[in-house]
Amino acid sequence: MRRRPGSRPRAIPLSTPSIRARRGLCRRWAGFCCTNRPSEKYFPSARTGYGPNCFTKATCCNAHVPAALDKRKNWSREAARETSRKVKTMKIAVLGAGVIGVTTAHYLAKAGHEVTVIDRQSGPALETSFANAGEISPGYSSPWAAPGIPAKAVKWLFMRHAPLILQPHMNVATVRWLLALLRNCTSTRYALNKARMVRLAEYSQEVQTALNAELGLQYDHRTQGTLQLFRTQKQLDGIYKDTEVLREGGVPFEVLDQDGCIKAEPGLKATRDLFVGGLRLPKDETGDCFKFTNALGDVAVGQGVTFLYDTAIKALITDKGRVSGVQTDKGVITADAYVLALGSYSPQMVKPLGMTLPVYPVKGYSITAPIVNEPAAPVSTIMDESYKVAITRLGDRIRVGGMAEISGYNNVLPEQRRNTLEHSVGSLFPGAGDLKAATYWSGLRPMTPDGTPVIGKTKFDNLFLNTGHGTLGWTMACGSARVIADIVSGQTPDIETADLGIARYG
């Protein structure tokens, strides 16, 4: 049987240390003994000596792969899914139509479920997914809570073009979240949290690459890497720890001087005196999250997914340890299972159920300007380290996004924040875009104190979470959706997920 272009290959070559081989086969060939060391890239809790039932531990080794392939030459991960466990078709309600909700709906529908997406907006991706920075950057998947951040934060607060703005509405939830953030600013916790994030982000990039090959979605997609640009020698000298983490994780990178930066981004030639070097991650990608989400939403409609827009979600109704319905302004919607993908508004939905979800709305800003000077414009994404601003090429536009404002739930657009974005792009790429014609936007990023999203089950056996992705929702969307679709369907996800759930907060 011929496979469709872009679909997963049916055979797994033994000569390639493929993560596909290491993920899928152990679930099917349960009779082979695992005595070698399991794969740890996607299952870091793997240990040796699990024996013949290693597949129940979500681990795998290569010991049984040859015997498995001897029995069956044309084996695939998808076949493993189908034969390991039949998926029970369910009616599933996905709450939220941002990039997380729409990707979740797609993979649930692909698994055979009847899916309904509910959102208060008039269409998909009209809140936090609307005008984000446009980066798909697994290599930059790091928690904000890091060693040295508290001291840096004090300095940032007094900068004219500050990357951090602290105007909190002090309440119990805000104080609790800030204290939890500070507790995660240790070397040990940073390493643990970063490992979780990179695992999910790298998997997500793989899933999205397969999705692109299958569907050919159009969203101003480019695969030309990310360049972190350093304006001072001190910044450049301080990247040693970052490069060590990248090296240990097998993430390709390049440390560049001025000429190297200009070779990667020719538009920087006119401003070479403003920077000393850069760190480039060639595997990173860019794309318009809003366009992607709308295009995938159209595909989901073709899959049979129902979208209920202009429908405000009021509450979750529970009965005997289960969610029995969603109260909306248009009545009660019932399903067999429910996936909460409401971003920064997720905590408000589960608080009445006795659940504390540590997700806080950290506000970010962006401007989008039409390109008026092609040679002077960026090619891909540039991270301006001094201002923590990302400058991204999206087709015939430049998207400039960044800053972190802790100010609660608000969508006010202060002129000073726009000035910071214009200063960053205007100083590095002068005349490239028409800044006077730029649109100005803000969104609430759903941040957890440890940087890792919350994905998985809850104490209600038919309520699932896919939220808290912070600044990396676009980077992690496809992988997170695939993971939660597997969990809801009773399948074992392709990566370890035990440390992604709400249970990690106690």
Side-chain angles (χ1 to χ4, degrees):
M1 181 177 178
R2 294 177 62 85
R3 66 183 179 91
R4 294 174 301 177
S7 63
R8 293 180 178 81
R10 299 188 66 201
I12 302 175
L14 292 178
S15 59
T16 303
S18 167
I19 57 176
R20 291 182 174 87
R22 286 182 283 181
R23 288 187 212 142
L25 285 170
C26 64
R27 296 191 209 115
R28 174 63 178 87
W29 299 102
F32 293 92
C33 180
C34 274
T35 55
N36 292 349
R37 186 171 181 80
S39 167
E40 294 187 2
K41 178 177 181 179
Y42 286 90
F43 297 102
S45 65
R47 297 290 185 271
T48 58
Y50 283 142
N53 291 323
C54 69
F55 67 103
T56 64
K57 300 287 187 178
T59 61
C60 182
C61 75
N62 294 326
H64 47 49
V65 173
L69 290 179
D70 283 342
K71 285 181 174 287
R72 221 167 153 181
K73 295 294 183 183
N74 292 323
W75 181 255
S76 71
R77 184 169 67 187
E78 294 304 322
R81 287 175 180 273
E82 293 172 7
T83 58
S84 63
R85 181 180 297 175
K86 295 294 183 181
V87 175
K88 177 185 176 183
T89 300
M90 294 183 289
K91 292 177 60 178
I92 301 175
V94 176
L95 281 59
V99 67
I100 301 299
V102 172
T103 51
T104 296
H106 166 71
Y107 284 107
L108 285 169
K110 195 171 182 179
H113 300 295
E114 182 182 336
V115 183
T116 298
V117 179
I118 312 168
D119 196 279
R120 64 185 177 185
Q121 297 293 344
S122 59
L126 289 177
E127 296 196 26
T128 305
S129 301
F130 181 71
N132 62 26
E135 307 163 75
I136 304 170
S137 302
Y140 284 110
S141 296
S142 300
W144 286 12
I149 287 297
K152 289 181 180 179
V154 174
K155 177 183 176 182
W156 288 337
L157 290 173
F158 296 98
M159 289 175 58
R160 178 186 175 189
H161 296 294
L164 174 67
I165 303 98
L166 187 62
Q167 298 176 344
H169 297 277
M170 284 302 176
N171 52 43
V172 174
T174 302
V175 172
R176 184 187 294 121
W177 187 87
L178 287 171
L179 291 175
L181 183 77
L182 291 174
R183 286 196 298 271
N184 278 279
C185 291
T186 66
S187 297
T188 300
R189 292 195 177 190
Y190 175 80
L192 174 65
N193 296 331
K194 183 176 178 63
R196 292 169 174 164
M197 297 171 72
V198 170
R199 182 201 322 152
L200 179 59
E202 287 187 344
Y203 173 64
S204 189
Q205 187 178 42
E206 178 193 314
V207 173
Q208 186 164 356
T209 298
L211 182 69
N212 289 339
E214 177 188 357
L215 300 178
L217 303 179
Q218 300 298 312
Y219 55 97
D220 293 330
H221 182 221
R222 291 192 173 200
T223 57
Q224 295 176 259
T226 298
L227 175 63
Q228 187 176 11
L229 203 65
F230 304 112
R231 293 178 182 252
T232 69
Q233 190 63 41
K234 183 178 180 181
Q235 290 173 345
L236 182 60
D237 293 341
I239 67 172
Y240 172 75
K241 289 184 179 179
D242 289 334
T243 56
E244 284 301 300
V245 171
L246 293 172
R247 185 177 290 109
E248 291 172 4
V251 179
F253 67 89
E254 303 165 348
V255 178
L256 305 177
D257 58 11
Q258 286 178 316
D259 291 335
C261 292
I262 293 170
K263 183 178 180 181
E265 286 286 351
L268 292 170
K269 184 177 181 179
T271 57
R272 65 178 297 139
D273 292 339
L274 294 181
F275 59 91
V276 298
L279 174 64
R280 182 170 181 264
L281 302 184
K283 290 186 65 178
D284 281 3
E285 305 175 22
T286 57
D288 189 320
C289 183
F290 172 76
K291 288 187 175 182
F292 172 88
T293 308
N294 276 265
L296 188 61
D298 291 340
V299 172
V301 170
Q303 294 173 299
V305 175
T306 299
F307 287 87
L308 300 179
Y309 295 121
D310 297 308
T311 303
I313 300 169
K314 300 296 186 180
L316 293 172
I317 306 168
T318 61
D319 181 44
K320 298 178 180 178
R322 291 175 58 84
V323 174
S324 57
V326 181
Q327 181 66 58
T328 76
D329 60 347
K330 296 179 180 178
V332 176
I333 297 170
T334 61
D336 300 312
Y338 304 81
V339 180
L340 189 63
L342 289 174
S344 297
Y345 296 90
S346 300
Q348 300 172 6
M349 200 57 54
V350 299
K351 185 177 179 180
L353 310 185
M355 295 168 56
T356 300
L357 182 59
V359 172
Y360 189 85
V362 176
K363 192 177 180 183
Y365 296 87
S366 77
I367 57 173
T368 305
I371 293 174
V372 294
N373 186 350
E374 178 74 25
V379 172
S380 189
T381 291
I382 297 86
M383 292 287 298
D384 187 346
E385 178 63 19
S386 293
Y387 304 109
K388 304 296 183 184
V389 166
I391 304 167
T392 301
R393 171 69 169 267
L394 296 175
D396 59 358
R397 302 162 295 150
I398 301 174
R399 174 72 50 77
V400 188
M403 289 173 285
E405 180 176 304
I406 300 175
S407 58
Y409 293 87
N410 78 79
N411 57 4
V412 178
L413 295 170
E415 193 63 24
Q416 177 59 32
R417 312 292 177 257
R418 178 171 184 149
N419 293 341
T420 296
L421 298 173
E422 291 184 354
H423 172 74
S424 176
V425 66
S427 62
L428 293 174
F429 297 95
D434 185 354
L435 299 183
K436 291 183 179 179
T439 56
Y440 183 28
W441 172 89
S442 71
L444 300 178
R445 309 181 187 107
M447 296 288 296
T448 63
D450 57 14
T452 310
V454 184
I455 305 171
K457 301 178 180 180
T458 69
K459 65 180 183 179
F460 296 92
D461 61 13
N462 65 337
L463 175 63
F464 303 85
L465 302 176
N466 191 7
T467 188
H469 295 77
T471 60
L472 295 167
W474 184 205
T475 295
M476 296 179 173
C478 289
S480 300
R482 183 64 177 266
V483 163
I484 199 64
D486 282 341
I487 292 173
V488 173
S489 301
Q491 298 281 350
T492 301
D494 296 326
I495 62 173
E496 182 171 301
T497 61
D499 54 356
L500 302 181
I502 192 173
R504 72 179 185 267
Y505 295 112

